Amino acid sequence: MLTRKQHELLRFIQVRLEESGISPSFEEMKEALDLKSKSGVHRLISALEERGFIRRLPNRARALEVLRQPEDTTTKPVRSAPAANEAPVRAPQVPAPANDVIEIPLHGRIAAGVPIEALEGHSLLPVPAALLGSGEHYALEVSGDSMIDAGILDGDFALVKRTNTARDGEIVVALIRGEEATLKYLRREGTMLRLDPANAAYEPQIYGPDEVEVQGKLAGLLRRYH
């Protein structure tokens, strides 16, 4: 079942695609649904994508495809190849990516060196939609230099997909003993968890399984030049 807003957004996208062949921008969707911010649009799109109603075309911030409507039971059928005496169907022109920006929560600073307290904040950070995939995201300001060999610098904004699971070798936000957070590579050694830096000046940190809680994994970076 879809919520009323999810249903309204799905219908709005479908109508715009039928009329112009181009999906609406985040700003247009925000105004059509009378939402306060583009982050609400992002959450609705992520929910529709996870439920299989739409999909985002790769590397395009504004290219959406409607796969099915709520009353449908199957996904959109694939067209068969045209007969020899039929003219080929011309593929629709892929629209150029738009500069859509959404706002995600900014939750203070996170250590990329010695762990420091992760401060909870209530501010929002504008982020290009193309940097984020599906799911819920938040941002943390990087403090320290222990991940410089991974291209993560002091002052960068880590864009984090909220999750409590991660595979070996992924860069995660790890909450240590419920108090301090750090950004590191996650690796498992038997029953222990190892948090690896990306700087030879720092040593790996090894903890018991009950001492570390994964709170997200790195989805992207945002860097400002002053």
Side-chain angles (χ1 to χ4, degrees):
M1 296 289 293
L2 297 181
T3 66
R4 180 174 60 85
K5 285 295 186 183
Q6 290 170 354
H7 192 279
E8 289 177 0
L9 180 60
L10 182 63
R11 181 58 184 161
F12 179 65
I13 294 172
Q14 179 65 36
V15 170
R16 287 295 301 272
L17 286 172
E18 291 174 353
E19 291 176 349
S20 65
I22 301 175
S23 56
S25 68
F26 275 76
E27 182 65 29
E28 291 169 334
M29 289 185 275
K30 179 176 76 72
E31 293 180 358
L33 273 68
D34 195 26
L35 297 173
K36 294 181 179 180
S37 70
K38 295 177 186 177
S39 59
V41 175
H42 179 69
R43 287 192 293 270
L44 291 173
I45 287 178
S46 296
L48 290 172
E49 186 177 25
E50 290 172 357
R51 288 166 173 78
F53 287 96
I54 64 173
R55 72 173 176 180
R56 307 185 215 209
L57 301 182
N59 302 319
R60 299 285 179 175
R62 190 175 165 180
L64 300 173
E65 181 181 14
V66 175
L67 300 178
R68 63 189 179 100
Q69 294 293 331
E71 62 273 15
D72 296 338
T73 56
T74 59
T75 56
K76 203 167 55 173
V78 179
R79 292 187 179 184
S80 57
N85 59 347
E86 292 181 356
V89 177
R90 184 180 298 275
Q93 184 176 1
V94 178
N99 294 323
D100 288 325
V101 174
I102 64 173
E103 295 177 329
I104 61 175
L106 176 60
H107 291 314
R109 305 175 74 221
I110 186 170
V114 178
I116 61 174
E117 183 180 0
L119 302 176
E120 286 293 326
H122 301 284
S123 59
L124 296 174
L125 180 69
V127 176
L131 295 180
L132 305 176
S134 61
E136 183 180 357
H137 293 76
Y138 62 92
L140 292 166
E141 185 179 359
V142 175
S143 173
D145 61 357
S146 76
M147 297 298 288
I148 58 174
D149 290 342
I152 303 171
L153 308 181
D154 183 73
D156 286 350
F157 291 96
L159 310 179
V160 182
K161 181 175 181 178
R162 193 181 298 276
T163 180
N164 57 9
T165 61
R167 297 190 297 268
D168 274 16
E170 290 186 316
I171 298 176
V172 302
V173 174
L175 184 66
I176 301 170
R177 302 187 182 104
E179 297 178 351
E180 299 172 324
T182 188
L183 189 69
K184 293 288 185 296
Y185 286 107
L186 175 70
R187 302 193 190 279
R188 294 174 175 84
E189 291 186 345
T191 60
M192 306 298 285
L193 296 177
R194 193 179 81 224
L195 302 178
D196 285 346
N199 184 336
Y202 292 86
E203 295 293 331
Q205 304 163 9
I206 300 177
Y207 298 96
D210 297 331
E211 295 181 291
V212 175
E213 177 187 351
V214 173
Q215 293 198 318
K217 58 184 178 181
L218 187 67
L221 283 174
L222 191 63
R223 182 171 299 158
R224 291 174 176 171
Y225 294 92
H226 301 288

